């Protein structure tokens, strides 16, 4: 295998030529070659190059220049590397500008981005049709997808465990207007052709969802081999075990690249540009009919949203989730603004070097 089986295309080849010239002019390094980060094992990362797979690590200069951990090389990234010899680890000198980035708010009290994957074209939002079926969680995944700049596809897995598939599909379509909803059963080999329609040559398709939703099973199913470990879910509550422990790319012969990710018990949202507007289009459009422009939809006179709930046109639980996520994102935005103010004061303090500038941040996509 080489870089061509992992998404390298005419587009990336042309982009590399232009980008490399800029890099050489700035850094004076004419020995760099392209590579893609295909797996992250924590202390080690695996790369795919023109000559095949090899281990790699970021150079000291790159680690020193990067302040935000989310800017470090991540699975899906296209990189500029050098290879000292045939057996030593490759040295990562730079990360090419990212086409898309899938992120969430990292666990803990600190406002911090946790990067899940980069340069993804399509994101399969996998939700099992068992006791773990949850539309409020799906809404969160949709917001993450829209914010990331990828095309979401709702995948309802394990249809063989559901007695009312049509009802579940209707619920999913109700919270994901305009988004493809695909019903599959790997056990019964149903829905495969619909998934494969998104596996176009050169494309990267990522899978995300809670533990036990069937992501690793889908990877094995589409690749035709047991490339990922799988485990049964607990029968009493359909909760899955964390089988996948790292992010990894898997090439599908002559087609796309699949990216499997560890299951997420909880998804705390990171940033919001268009995610809420895309996910809650029905509520946003109804809110435009409210009497007051700053209506909070909590008992104000002439609130079109509450009137729509009373008429059964909007789900009260969906509106409540909309309010909850707005509060969450507003709180996060305030914390992030405070952090940036502190960073700004620190970077301008005499005797301290501002490391936030760098040649690669000046290279436009």
């Amino acid at each position: 295998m080489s870089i061509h089986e992992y998404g390298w295309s005419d587009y990336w080849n042309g982009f590399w030529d232009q980008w490399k010239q800029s890099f050489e002019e700035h850094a004076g390094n004419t020995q760099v070659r392209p590579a893609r980060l295909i797996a992250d094992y924590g202390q080690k990362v695996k790369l795919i190059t023109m000559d095949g797979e090899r281990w790699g690590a970021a150079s000291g200069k790159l680690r020193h220049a990067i302040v935000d951990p989310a800017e470090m090389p991540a699975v899906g990234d296209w990189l500029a590397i050098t290879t000292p010899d045939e057996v030593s680890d490759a040295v990562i000198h730079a990360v090419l500008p990212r086409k898309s980035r899938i992120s969430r708010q990292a666990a803990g009290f600190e406002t911090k981005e946790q990067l899940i994957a980069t340069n993804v074209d399509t994101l399969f939002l996998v939700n099992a049709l068992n006791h773990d079926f949850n539309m409020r969680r799906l809404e969160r995944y949709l917001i993450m997808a829209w914010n990331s700049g990828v095309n979401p596809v709702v995948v309802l897995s394990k249809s063989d465990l559901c007695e009312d598939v049509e009802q579940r599909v209707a619920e999913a379509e109700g919270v994901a207007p305009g988004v493809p909803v695909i019903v599959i059963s790997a056990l019964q080999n149903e829905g495969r052709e619909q998934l494969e329609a998104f596996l176009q040559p050169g494309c990267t398709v990522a899978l995300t969802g809670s533990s036990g939703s069937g992501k690793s099973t889908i990877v094995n199913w589409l690749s035709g081999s047991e490339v990922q470990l799988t485990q049964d879910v607990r029968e009493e509550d359909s909760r899955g075990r964390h089988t996948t422990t790292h992010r990894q790319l898997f090439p599908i012969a002559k087609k796309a690249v699949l990216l499997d990710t560890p299951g997420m018990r909880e998804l705390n949202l990171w940033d919001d540009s268009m995610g809420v507007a895309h996910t809650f289009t029905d509520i946003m459009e109804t809110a435009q009919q409210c009497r007051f422009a700053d209506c909070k939809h909590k008992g104000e006179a002439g609130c079109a949203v509450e009137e729509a709930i009373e008429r059964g046109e909007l789900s009260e639980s969906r509106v409540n989730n909309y309010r909850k996520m707005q509060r969450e994102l507003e709180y996060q935005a305030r914390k992030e603004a405070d952090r940036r103010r502190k960073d700004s004061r620190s970077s301008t303090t005499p005797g301290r070097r501002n490391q936030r500038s760098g040649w690669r941040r000046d290279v436009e996509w």
Side-chain angles (χ1 to χ4, degrees):
M1 289 244 178
S2 75
I3 199 172
H4 296 284
E5 283 74 43
Y6 281 86
W8 189 255
S9 61
D10 290 341
Y11 167 81
W12 284 109
N13 191 54
F15 181 77
W16 167 260
D17 290 340
Q18 179 183 2
W19 181 91
K20 184 173 182 287
Q21 181 179 356
S22 174
F23 176 82
E24 291 175 351
E25 292 174 355
H26 184 92
N29 191 335
T30 61
Q31 305 299 316
V32 292
R33 299 189 297 158
R36 193 173 199 187
L37 201 158
I38 62 174
D40 187 349
Y41 296 94
Q43 298 298 321
K44 285 272 192 176
V45 297
K46 185 174 287 187
L47 311 176
I48 188 71
T49 71
M50 292 292 187
D51 303 318
E53 294 183 2
R54 67 189 305 157
W55 296 103
S59 68
K61 184 177 181 180
L62 179 61
R63 290 196 300 269
H64 181 70
I66 292 177
V67 175
D68 188 346
E71 298 300 325
M72 285 294 289
V75 175
D77 272 333
W78 294 101
L79 312 167
I81 67 166
T82 55
T83 50
D85 52 55
E86 294 183 358
V87 295
S88 300
D89 290 352
V91 180
I92 302 171
H93 296 277
V95 179
L96 274 66
R98 292 159 173 164
K99 187 177 182 180
S100 63
R101 52 192 295 156
I102 302 173
S103 302
R104 69 170 177 174
Q105 161 67 28
F109 296 103
E110 185 180 359
T111 300
K112 184 170 61 176
E113 177 185 8
Q114 181 183 5
L115 195 62
I116 298 173
T118 67
N119 297 317
V120 171
D121 300 290
T122 300
L123 183 62
F124 285 169
L125 310 178
V126 185
N127 201 321
L129 290 171
N130 53 20
H131 297 303
D132 199 38
F133 183 77
N134 189 312
M135 286 298 93
R136 305 288 78 84
R137 185 193 302 132
L138 177 58
E139 288 169 340
R140 285 181 169 268
Y141 281 114
L142 283 165
I143 292 175
M144 180 182 71
W146 290 125
N147 285 338
S148 303
V150 302
N151 297 314
V153 175
V154 177
V155 179
L156 303 181
S157 62
K158 305 184 180 182
S159 62
D160 51 286
L161 300 179
C162 182
E163 297 180 354
D164 194 355
V165 174
E166 291 185 0
Q167 175 61 30
R168 296 304 193 190
V169 170
E171 292 178 32
E173 291 177 340
V175 302
V179 176
V181 177
I182 299 175
V183 177
I184 69 167
S185 170
L187 182 65
Q188 298 179 346
N189 200 34
E190 296 177 353
R192 178 168 182 159
E193 291 183 359
Q194 291 175 280
L195 290 183
E196 289 180 336
F198 294 94
L199 305 182
Q200 299 300 316
C203 291
T204 299
V205 178
L207 299 94
T208 189
S210 60
S211 298
S213 61
K215 300 185 302 299
S216 296
T217 298
I218 293 173
V219 172
N220 292 339
W221 186 36
L222 293 177
S223 64
S225 59
E226 297 295 317
V227 295
Q228 284 287 70
L229 295 174
T230 60
Q231 295 188 67
D232 293 332
V233 300
R234 297 198 304 251
E235 293 184 3
E236 62 271 17
D237 59 3
S238 298
R239 299 299 292 274
R241 303 173 178 87
H242 285 289
T243 307
T244 301
T245 57
H246 63 279
R247 301 171 182 88
Q248 183 171 353
L249 289 172
F250 297 95
I252 305 299
K254 298 181 181 180
K255 292 185 178 180
V257 183
L258 287 177
L259 195 163
D260 195 10
T261 63
M264 290 185 280
R265 291 286 190 208
E266 182 178 354
L267 174 59
N268 294 317
L269 300 174
W270 172 261
D271 195 14
D272 179 62
S273 53
M274 296 296 292
V276 168
H278 274 293
T279 304
F280 296 99
T281 304
D282 51 348
I283 298 176
M284 300 287 282
E285 290 179 349
T286 303
Q288 292 178 4
Q289 302 172 26
C290 291
R291 180 181 301 176
F292 303 107
D294 60 347
C295 182
K296 301 297 183 183
H297 321 305
K298 293 182 178 180
E300 292 91 341
C303 176
V305 172
E306 292 193 332
E307 291 173 0
I309 293 174
E310 293 177 1
R311 294 193 300 267
E313 297 172 359
L314 289 177
S315 164
E316 184 173 7
S317 61
R318 177 167 164 78
V319 172
N320 288 336
N321 200 39
Y322 164 72
R323 292 167 176 158
K324 178 181 178 181
M325 281 187 270
Q326 277 196 319
R327 291 194 300 269
E328 180 180 323
L329 291 167
E330 289 169 358
Y331 174 69
Q332 181 201 95
R334 290 195 299 270
K335 289 179 63 179
E336 178 66 6
D338 290 341
R339 184 188 67 80
R340 288 180 177 176
R341 282 194 294 270
K342 292 178 182 178
D343 288 350
S344 178
R345 289 195 294 269
S346 298
S347 65
T348 56
T349 301
R352 295 193 62 174
R353 176 174 176 264
N354 182 4
Q355 297 176 334
R356 289 195 178 276
S357 61
W359 72 269
R360 66 193 195 92
R361 300 183 190 279
D362 297 328
V363 180
E364 294 185 359
W365 181 258

